[in-house]
Amino acid sequence: MGAVPSLILFFGSMLLPDTPNSLVQRGRTEDGRKVLQKIRGTDNVDVEFDDICEAVRVSAVVSNPWRTITRRRYWPQLIISIMVPIFQQLTGINAIMFYAPQLFQAAGHTAESALLSTVITGAVNVGSTFVAIILVDRVGRRVSLLCGAEDGVGWLAASWCWLASLTSCVASWDATGADQAMAVASLNGV
């Protein structure tokens, strides 16, 4: 069951054409123009195609692209491109998605229910991605990134406050057995 999305992605990628940039870079200029015309749905792609050819020509002249990207003027883009995946890992969403069936089982679901819950979670993730794609086109990347960062900081602060209050309650709480186990499970995020 878990291999179905991977197989769809694998066989779907076989149907994708090469990008016009890639074709021009490899010397297949006319093929690049045809692909661009097919993607845009019009034969009038001269301006964009000339831009692609110019970009390929300029990139061929660059002797050391790694040195170029580490110049001070490109630091903001470099920092963002490094920090966004780091924050994604630090939030733990990849671990949650990977271990979702086990987490649902630990929360008391049966194996079948845990798998179904994981599929629903993945479907919500995909649906949210499509909503984000539409919103990014309407409001722009910068606004979307800033709103996402603001939400992330807000939820992080709220979870720290919740953890601090729970920790202080557990420290002064004279409970035994199941109550302590529930408090420890809450602290560990189970």
Side-chain angles (χ1 to χ4, degrees):
M1 173 90 169
V4 172
S6 299
L7 291 172
I8 291 171
L9 182 63
F10 176 75
F11 288 114
S13 66
M14 298 294 184
L15 302 174
L16 293 174
D18 284 323
T19 64
N21 297 46
S22 172
L23 291 168
V24 170
Q25 193 170 20
R26 290 183 281 153
R28 297 172 50 192
T29 309
E30 283 309 310
D31 290 338
R33 181 184 294 278
K34 289 176 186 173
V35 168
L36 186 60
Q37 289 170 341
K38 182 179 178 184
I39 291 171
R40 298 294 179 238
T42 181
D43 290 338
N44 187 14
V45 293
D46 293 334
V47 174
E48 185 177 1
F49 188 71
D50 290 342
D51 287 343
I52 290 172
C53 291
E54 178 65 17
V56 167
R57 187 190 64 72
V58 169
S59 70
V61 176
V62 175
S63 61
N64 191 345
W66 295 107
R67 184 171 302 177
T68 302
I69 197 152
T70 56
R71 288 187 185 147
R72 186 173 182 85
R73 68 182 274 196
Y74 297 114
W75 282 5
Q77 294 90 336
L78 185 62
I79 290 169
I80 291 288
S81 65
I82 291 171
M83 295 309 290
V84 166
I86 286 174
F87 284 133
Q88 182 181 3
Q89 290 296 322
L90 291 177
T91 61
I93 190 61
N94 291 348
I96 296 295
M97 294 304 289
F98 185 77
Y99 291 110
Q102 290 86 353
L103 292 172
F104 282 121
Q105 282 182 332
H109 289 264
T110 64
E112 294 81 18
S113 175
L115 186 57
L116 180 61
S117 297
T118 302
V119 169
I120 291 170
T121 303
V124 168
N125 191 1
V126 169
S128 299
T129 301
F130 284 118
V131 169
I133 289 169
I134 292 167
L135 287 178
V136 163
D137 285 342
R138 291 190 181 170
V139 299
R141 287 188 174 105
R142 186 171 195 274
V143 172
S144 298
L145 185 62
L146 290 174
C147 289
E150 177 187 352
D151 289 347
V153 168
W155 281 108
L156 186 60
S159 65
W160 282 348
C161 292
W162 174 81
L163 186 60
S165 66
L166 186 61
T167 303
S168 65
C169 287
V170 170
S172 63
W173 186 26
D174 188 24
T176 58
D179 292 332
Q180 287 179 344
M182 182 60 86
V184 170
S186 296
L187 286 172
N188 290 323
V190 176

